[in-house]
Amino acid sequence: MSRNIAHSGDVSEPVTLSVGFSDSSGPVAPQAVLRSDTGTVLSLGQGVRTGQSGNAYSYEWKVTLPPRSGIALWTAEVGPLEDLKGNRAEAVSVISGRLDARLPAVDDKEAPVTTGFDFSPKLVDVTQGARSVQIAVRVTDTIGVPPSSVAWQLNHETAGLSMVGDYMTLASGNDRDGVYRGEIQVMDPPSNVKAEPFETGGARVTWTPPSVTDPRLSTRYMVTAHPSGATQTVASTTATFTGLPLGEDFTFDVVAVNDAGSSAAGTSNAVRSSIPVKGSVTFGDRCGASGDCYEIPQTGLMYDHWDAQGQLISGQLTPGRYPASGYVRIGAWSDDPSVRVDGPSEWTHTFDASVPFADVPEGMAFFQDMCWMAEKKISTGWDVAGGKEYRPMQPVNRDAMAAFMYRLAGSPTFTPPKVSPFKDITPTTAFYKEMAWLASQGISTGWSMPDGSKEYRPLQPVNRDAMAAFMHRMAKSPVFTPPKVSPFSSR
């Protein structure tokens, strides 16, 4: 094995290793190994006997050196040696001849050439999710390219897409003229990218991750504000920007990034950096039409009044109270681009001009109080043709007074006793539950009778002095020191 060969880097010229042995009984076919000075080891297996003359035997091994790695100095090792009678030499014989495999004398100063680069499929809509794309490329080179040296990297400047790929596989041909193939998993961009104002001069950006990412790699997100160019890299799906110039509109691009590359960008809606100001409108809807109004607060915002048809009634209202009727829509806005309405920016109300009782007209003494009684369902009045009557000049009987007070207390859960606490009412008496509740709460004690019983006298009008006692007891009899001089002139 003493001759030199020119190794092309592709299919080299076959090399023959020849070894001769002498043994009186004949050798067992030996094993051979080739070792290069670059660390490559080739096991050649048992040799083939090619000749015999007396006690002399010859064996050969034919080998084709591997592409590229065959370019080296090679040493042959043969052994262990053993004859047919079992005599064995454990030592390995190192053949003194060396094989010098080198590149051909070619003046190659040109880089490999790629042609026929192709995608399949050629159109990929990543907005519908990640997609797998097959790529192929033809690579030619005078002396050949090393194995595992052809890799792909995908860049798309317009979409901002960047994917660092793996090595491609030689699918056909050889390392001097071959077609290499690979697969790209194109990551879809983050979706549902939304931006909203955040505090003063800030914005909060949220998004949904790509549908498919490599589970072996940590995915992070690079978020860029436009036009400022401010950038954040986060591991979650939320990014918060602060200190943005007030009054400017911003959009945000979100790119998913991992060690394999990056996705195309998902872009948010436009949002304005601003100062938050809360707006509010108060509606005063009194019983009937008199006094109905809405109130504009002092906030620094602009307020407009619109009707049900969307017609502007009054614009740029100043703070104050305004009379109103029917349907009213109030909208708040700001003429300052650095200020935004924080929270609701529109309020609606339909004013009710009706009155609850036919015999209680607007302007009557205690009109609003009687309306309040109806609104809170403390008094339901009497049903008459065409509506209800309150009968304001009619005295209040004690049974009705019990109903008023029970309802004023919120109609608490109460099971009336089967035996009445008063001898003059029974469980079947109208408002029995309410009168029994007054007794259970100590609000009404009734009249003590000579036989030890009590009477409530439900159909007797309640006097104003008794009504004062009821109200004081219902308020849990708070501590009160009456003045020495009466506040009332009557005795």
Side-chain angles (χ1 to χ4, degrees):
M1 196 180 73
S2 60
R3 61 195 175 90
N4 295 336
I5 67 163
H7 185 59
S8 69
D10 176 22
V11 181
S12 67
E13 176 185 349
V15 175
T16 300
L17 170 64
S18 299
V19 178
F21 299 93
S22 294
D23 189 87
S24 59
S25 60
V28 175
Q31 305 276 338
V33 173
L34 287 181
R35 298 182 183 275
S36 76
D37 61 354
T38 60
T40 301
V41 178
L42 299 178
S43 296
L44 307 185
Q46 288 185 320
V48 177
R49 182 185 293 184
T50 57
Q52 178 184 357
S53 177
N55 292 335
Y57 300 86
S58 60
Y59 287 84
E60 286 186 355
W61 293 261
K62 291 186 180 294
V63 60
T64 300
L65 299 180
R68 304 298 297 181
S69 60
I71 304 171
L73 293 175
W74 295 83
T75 300
E77 297 178 357
V78 179
L81 303 179
E82 183 179 2
D83 63 18
L84 296 176
K85 290 186 177 181
N87 298 311
R88 182 182 178 87
E90 294 295 337
V92 175
S93 298
V94 178
I95 307 301
S96 59
R98 294 168 63 86
L99 171 65
D100 178 14
R102 64 183 184 277
L103 293 172
V106 177
D107 187 16
D108 181 14
K109 298 180 180 180
E110 300 296 329
V113 176
T114 58
T115 57
F117 189 80
D118 194 19
F119 286 98
S120 178
K122 291 183 172 59
L123 179 63
V124 177
D125 182 4
V126 293
T127 63
Q128 303 302 313
R131 293 292 183 270
S132 178
V133 178
Q134 303 296 319
I135 59 174
V137 63
R138 180 184 177 190
V139 182
T140 57
D141 187 73
T142 303
I143 63 172
V145 296
S148 299
S149 64
V150 181
W152 58 264
Q153 177 171 331
L154 178 65
N155 293 287
H156 192 305
E157 294 183 359
T158 302
L161 183 68
S162 175
M163 298 293 292
V164 178
D166 202 349
Y167 290 112
M168 300 173 70
T169 302
L170 180 63
S172 61
N174 52 59
D175 61 357
R176 287 179 298 164
D177 185 357
V179 174
Y180 291 79
R181 297 190 182 277
E183 182 178 17
I184 303 172
Q185 191 74 10
V186 182
M187 193 169 18
D188 52 322
S191 59
N192 300 319
V193 183
K194 298 178 181 178
E196 61 181 8
F198 176 74
E199 296 182 350
T200 298
R204 176 176 285 134
V205 188
T206 59
W207 58 90
T208 301
S211 61
V212 177
T213 56
D214 191 330
R216 299 168 299 174
L217 304 176
S218 175
T219 300
R220 53 203 181 276
Y221 301 93
M222 186 170 66
V223 188
T224 304
H226 299 287
S228 72
T231 300
Q232 291 188 26
T233 299
V234 298
S236 65
T237 55
T238 300
T240 302
F241 287 78
T242 58
L244 300 174
L246 293 174
E248 292 188 18
D249 291 334
F250 288 84
T251 59
F252 299 86
D253 287 344
V254 182
V255 176
V257 181
N258 59 31
D259 292 342
S262 60
S263 72
T267 302
S268 76
N269 54 291
V271 66
R272 179 165 295 179
S273 173
S274 55
I275 301 170
V277 175
K278 289 188 177 296
S280 64
V281 174
T282 302
F283 295 98
D285 191 355
R286 306 190 72 189
C287 187
S290 177
D292 286 350
C293 65
Y294 62 85
E295 187 169 352
I296 301 297
Q298 180 71 52
T299 61
L301 298 173
M302 297 292 185
Y303 292 85
D304 293 336
H305 176 183
W306 306 80
D307 66 12
Q309 287 70 45
Q311 297 297 314
L312 180 64
I313 304 300
S314 302
Q316 301 186 22
L317 298 168
T318 57
R321 185 173 294 177
Y322 295 84
S325 62
Y327 175 86
V328 172
R329 175 166 64 92
I330 306 296
W333 54 283
S334 175
D335 60 351
D336 184 346
S338 66
V339 174
R340 73 176 185 274
V341 180
D342 186 22
S345 61
E346 188 173 284
W347 302 263
T348 61
H349 186 78
T350 300
F351 289 90
D352 184 4
S354 64
V355 295
F357 302 114
D359 57 345
V360 180
E362 285 193 70
M364 186 176 191
F366 308 118
F367 171 74
Q368 291 294 338
D369 307 280
M370 290 181 280
C371 286
W372 175 81
M373 291 277 284
E375 180 185 342
K376 299 300 182 182
K377 295 183 172 51
I378 295 172
S379 174
T380 58
W382 281 268
D383 291 322
V384 297
K388 288 180 176 290
E389 287 183 351
Y390 184 75
R391 302 178 186 175
M393 300 304 168
Q394 181 173 314
V396 178
N397 287 347
R398 289 170 56 85
D399 58 351
M401 180 275 302
F404 292 160
M405 299 194 77
Y406 176 74
R407 296 166 189 166
L408 179 62
S411 299
T413 301
F414 175 69
T415 302
K418 294 181 179 180
V419 177
S420 174
F422 303 108
K423 65 181 297 185
D424 56 344
I425 63 173
T426 70
T428 60
T429 303
F431 303 124
Y432 170 73
K433 176 180 179 179
E434 290 82 353
M435 291 181 285
W437 176 79
L438 282 184
S440 71
Q441 299 297 309
I443 296 172
S444 175
T445 58
W447 279 268
S448 297
M449 304 308 293
D451 61 0
S453 64
K454 289 180 178 292
E455 288 184 352
Y456 184 77
R457 303 177 186 177
L459 301 182
Q460 180 175 314
V462 61
N463 288 344
R464 291 169 59 85
D465 56 353
M467 192 72 233
F470 294 155
M471 299 293 288
H472 184 249
R473 295 168 189 164
M474 186 172 180
K476 305 301 181 185
S477 301
V479 175
F480 174 70
T481 302
K484 293 180 180 181
V485 178
S486 172
F488 304 111
S489 61
S490 58
R491 297 292 186 266

